Amino acid sequence: MYETENEMMIRLSDYFGKRLIFKEIGSGYGIADLIIIKNKAAFNQFVEGRKGVFLSNSDQIKIFKFLRKKKRGVSFDELVQNHYISETRLKYQVLNYLISTGAIIKKNNLYFRNEQFSLFSPRTVAIEGKLNNWKAGLTQAIRYQRFAEQVYVALDEDFVHRADLEEFKKFNIGLISVGPKVKEILAAKISPPLDPIMKYGIAEQLVEKNLKLNARRLREIHF
């Protein structure tokens, strides 16, 4: 049916065109071909409230989450003792960045969470596209369960019959057939992401990407 995976994923993107979708998002465990945000309205509202600010790595998210539970503030030494982060990285690449974004506040040598700053909990569907190699697609898709509520493998309709549905059911991975029509062969059950930090990390990447896409659209309009 399709000559390349890219052609197939363009068809799939068109199919999901009315939804909020992002292409080729890196998770640290591979690059998801498509990520769909199911809570689209909440995400758009969250991005607007962030006003161009996003967290850029997992250490920043870990420290922010740690401070959320510490109402009385935390010293630098306590942060060092509770995290496997070098002092230099913690100070210059994590704490200073969090302060600059307004995520945390430093007062009297203690660090506090800014109550006005929050993380977004995305309800995501991740899709791995393969022309015919369902085994490779399944292996990659399983990794996306670390951050996504539902995960699918999309295959060219000419090869989808080769997939072992029992293997997909075993790992709770859905299967999509892509041709002139897009069909859900097997639904993936909704389940909580295995890694909350990665879930928030993906959300921050999507905030960043959304901001860049909007900036590009503005440049195209005005220039």
Side-chain angles (χ1 to χ4, degrees):
M1 176 67 195
Y2 294 98
E3 294 291 329
T4 66
E5 287 180 8
N6 185 56
E7 289 179 5
M8 185 185 76
M9 296 312 294
I10 289 173
R11 170 68 185 103
L12 196 60
S13 297
D14 290 342
Y15 177 77
F16 289 119
K18 293 183 179 181
R19 302 201 185 177
L20 184 58
I21 62 174
F22 295 88
K23 301 177 183 179
E24 297 187 340
I25 301 298
S27 65
Y29 289 86
I31 299 176
D33 290 312
L34 286 182
I35 290 182
I36 300 171
I37 300 292
K38 293 193 289 184
N39 47 345
K40 176 180 178 179
F43 177 78
N44 288 335
Q45 184 177 5
F46 180 81
V47 172
E48 185 177 350
R50 272 294 188 84
K51 301 185 184 304
V53 169
F54 55 88
L55 305 189
S56 61
N57 60 59
S58 61
D59 285 337
Q60 293 167 6
I61 295 170
K62 289 176 184 177
I63 293 298
F64 179 77
K65 283 178 60 64
F66 183 79
L67 291 176
R68 285 200 304 188
K69 303 174 183 178
K70 305 290 184 177
K71 301 295 184 181
R72 297 182 179 180
V74 179
S75 68
F76 183 82
D77 289 341
E78 185 178 348
L79 289 171
V80 171
Q81 292 168 6
N82 283 275
H83 298 87
Y84 294 102
I85 306 173
S86 71
E87 292 187 16
T88 299
R89 177 175 173 79
L90 178 61
K91 182 177 181 179
Y92 295 105
Q93 297 183 36
V94 178
L95 294 174
N96 283 359
Y97 184 87
L98 290 173
I99 291 171
S100 72
T101 61
I104 68 172
I105 300 167
K106 185 179 180 182
K107 184 178 181 181
N108 298 327
N109 289 321
L110 293 177
Y111 296 91
F112 300 83
R113 172 207 171 185
N114 180 355
E115 295 293 336
Q116 304 304 313
F117 194 95
S118 63
L119 299 174
F120 184 74
S121 184
R123 297 178 54 216
T124 56
V125 178
I127 302 176
E128 176 69 14
K130 296 292 182 186
L131 281 180
N132 53 40
N133 192 341
W134 68 267
K135 291 183 179 179
L138 179 62
T139 298
Q140 191 63 41
I142 291 170
R143 299 172 182 172
Y144 302 153
Q145 290 176 323
R146 297 180 68 85
F147 66 85
E149 283 189 345
Q150 292 173 287
V151 182
Y152 285 81
V153 172
L155 294 174
D156 187 309
E157 69 171 9
D158 289 345
F159 303 99
V160 73
H161 65 279
R162 298 180 181 179
D164 186 339
L165 292 184
E166 293 305 314
E167 285 295 298
F168 281 76
K169 292 177 183 177
K170 176 181 176 182
F171 294 103
N172 188 27
I173 302 296
L175 181 62
I176 296 172
S177 171
V178 185
K181 294 184 178 180
V182 176
K183 301 177 183 178
E184 184 181 59
I185 304 299
L186 179 67
K189 297 178 182 178
I190 296 174
S191 59
L194 300 176
D195 187 338
I197 297 296
M198 186 174 291
K199 175 188 72 172
Y200 290 123
I202 289 294
E204 293 299 320
Q205 281 193 58
L206 298 183
V207 169
E208 178 185 8
K209 190 158 190 172
N210 189 76
L211 291 167
K212 289 180 178 178
L213 287 173
N214 287 339
R216 187 179 69 188
R217 293 189 188 107
L218 285 174
R219 287 197 301 271
E220 290 172 351
I221 291 171
H222 295 291
F223 298 97

